[in-house]
Amino acid sequence: MQTTCDVCGKPAVYFDNRSGKGYCALHFRQMLEKKVRKELRKQGLSQNERIVMGISGGKDSLVMMDLLWRVEAPYHVELIALTVDEGIENGQYRGRRMDLIKRMAQERGIKHEVQSFRDKYGFTLDEAVQFLGGKEEPCTLCGVLRRRALNDYAKGLKATRLAIAHNLDDEAETVLMNVIRGDAKGLMRSENYAEDLYDYYVPRIKPMRTITERESAFYAYLIGVPPEEEECPYARLSLRDGVRSFLEDLEEKHPGTADSMVKFGENIKVKGKRVDRSFCSLCGYPTSKGRDICRVCEIKGMMREAEERI
Ligand SMILES: [Zn+2]
Ligand SMILES: [Zn+2]
């Protein structure tokens, strides 16, 4: 194992067990900034954009905020941090990170907006899980509702892009989850929204897509982001959690597994193909072909029914 920085020869503080390279703190940071720059170019980011960043308070989201700020500050790119409070009371999971987000945004001169499920839908995630938990996995409910909330608030803020802090390992998990669910369409579906959907959705970017969980964790440590004291109380119940442990184990024994999984996912995507779709009869948003109402309206409807029964 290398004990010196591959770039400058000073003592290394980080080792990449996939490439066998060592990095000092300075060159580790530069390596990640370079990855983000390259990824933003690849994803078609130009100047004069207004990027709304989805900032949950998790380490990846705070690392993304810092990296985007470093990489984009010299250009005419406006950054806004957006936190959607799902309303998870258990252990005040979200509250404790809110002060950290506020402080980090303020230090970087970034505006911070907070919105909530309660404002958007009239109910919290806790209430949704309480009423619908038997039918739906909490992470599925949260995912559907958070995705729409982030998008709609970003749209309200006139964002040209919505930045999501998924890292390489998250992307690998998503590929494997599609395989486990037998969801071939999910695997093949392109990441980007077709242009005819821009009226509904703010185009998304994933600046951290090539940054590993381990790299993100070390960068978080370097910029003084404390480890999360508690994870989301619902995470343990999810398929993603099982897939994560499995991939972590494989990555440890076979470095590069996550990279291969993401590459596989990219290779299998069908590019430029028009997807057949329907439009929701209630909210008008696009939904899967053959559906009358979208998943968000379906969940809202089930919540109304559940509330009427009490
Ligand atoms: Zn160095
Ligand atoms: Zn709808």
Side-chain angles (χ1 to χ4, degrees), residues 83-87 114-123 149 153:
T83 304
V84 172
D85 184 351
E86 303 91 346
V114 182
Q115 302 288 352
S116 69
F117 275 15
R118 159 100 44 226
D119 290 343
K120 171 87 178 144
Y121 302 114
F123 53 84
Y153 286 121

Side-chain angles (χ1 to χ4, degrees), residues 100-117:
L100 179 63
I101 305 173
K102 277 197 194 322
R103 181 168 57 76
M104 285 188 60
Q106 200 173 24
E107 283 167 359
R108 288 159 184 76
I110 295 169
K111 201 162 113 186
H112 180 220
E113 299 273 345
V114 182
Q115 302 288 352
S116 69
F117 275 15

Side-chain angles (χ1 to χ4, degrees), residues 252-270:
E252 173 118 11
K253 291 176 192 140
H254 309 280
T257 298
D259 293 86
S260 311
M261 195 63 77
V262 170
K263 239 173 243 143
F264 169 75
E266 270 170 19
N267 287 336
I268 211 166
K269 286 200 193 318
V270 182

